[in-house]
Amino acid sequence: TYHAGIIVEVEGDAHDDTLYVLVERVDDRLELMLGIGQKPRSLMLEFRATGAARKCDRCFMQPRQTVVPTVTCQRFFGWIGTTLSKGWKPYHILKANCQHIAEEVRNFLLDPDSPENAPEILVGDNGVLQAPWLRESGPPEKNELSGVTFRCGTIP
């Protein structure tokens, strides 16, 4: 048996301002860990978001994959909060486990415009349809993460 998770890299402007986002399913929980720079990335490889240690001698990384430039932080977290959460199923060792979530995240990052990745449209308190990740905006300001693309690798 093995455990799978995704580390998403959001490249910044400077040498060590890369944002790392760890996404993994553990039992019925989705665990996220975020940090900027190599130290948080190292922690993600050695520990879960809960602080529990990983068996590092059994871990291996798959090659990084560059994703399409239409995936922004806003769009990624919007997808987690809508499409991924709406399709959440109770843990099942064969049908709904960490490998399935890692695959869903990977599929979204590689093809965010596919029909199965379409975000749910939210209705606000005022009855107006809202889909903030679809809103047009100007160019991102320097160091604003909303305009940066992702690269991902999988960790067991």
Side-chain angles (χ1 to χ4, degrees), residues 16-92:
D16 198 30
D17 68 349
T18 299
L19 170 68
Y20 294 92
V21 181
L22 170 67
V23 182
E24 63 184 323
R25 180 181 185 146
V26 180
D27 299 323
D28 276 329
R29 293 180 315 276
L30 182 67
E31 295 184 3
L32 300 173
M33 187 185 316
L34 298 100
I36 295 176
Q38 290 299 313
K39 288 181 183 178
R41 180 184 177 273
S42 295
L43 285 172
M44 292 173 191
L45 295 173
E46 296 178 31
F47 300 95
R48 289 184 24 219
T50 61
R54 298 187 190 282
K55 297 177 182 173
C56 293
D57 58 328
R58 296 182 179 177
C59 292
F60 66 93
M61 296 287 290
Q62 293 184 358
R64 288 183 172 122
Q65 295 178 289
T66 303
V67 300
V68 295
T70 59
V71 179
T72 63
C73 288
Q74 182 178 7
R75 187 171 182 189
F76 178 62
F77 287 111
W79 174 81
I80 288 175
T82 57
T83 306
L84 184 66
S85 65
K86 297 273 185 185
W88 189 263
K89 296 178 181 94
Y91 180 82
H92 186 280

